[in-house]
Amino acid sequence: QDQIALLVSWPLSTRPMDRQEVLEAVRQNSSALRYAAAPLKADREFVLEVVRQNGCALSYAADPLKADRELVLEAVRQNGRALQYAADPLKA
């Protein structure tokens, strides 16, 4: 819970959250990815690690990653409902 609170208040903080802090928050609650800075939402390796824990976290990934076949496949393997967050061409 503390990590999620840090994410929510992060833009107001003087100290930027590092990758590990964000990852720990996401481990506690995958929807915490929504509060991550845009560069982390666009970081393929980071998002891949997150969707392996909770596929539906794909909904908070940067749009180009939602079109990444391998990343979407990992998300769907973890949770079939993650397909709804994939880019349209991958849904066909």
Side-chain angles (χ1 to χ4, degrees), residues 5-69:
L6 278 174
L7 271 176
V8 172
S9 65
W10 177 74
L12 306 175
S13 171
T14 57
R15 183 183 64 83
M17 290 190 73
D18 67 27
R19 180 185 184 99
Q20 196 56 42
E21 289 174 312
V22 174
L23 188 56
E24 184 56 37
V26 169
R27 282 187 181 126
Q28 292 177 31
N29 182 340
S30 64
S31 68
L33 183 59
R34 84 175 82 177
Y35 302 110
L40 281 178
K41 292 179 184 179
D43 181 317
R44 186 181 186 281
E45 293 308 311
F46 180 78
V47 174
L48 187 58
E49 188 169 347
V50 170
V51 300
R52 284 178 174 155
Q53 295 174 45
N54 186 317
C56 288
L58 181 64
S59 67
Y60 304 111
D63 287 343
L65 295 181
K66 293 176 182 179
D68 181 311
R69 185 176 301 277

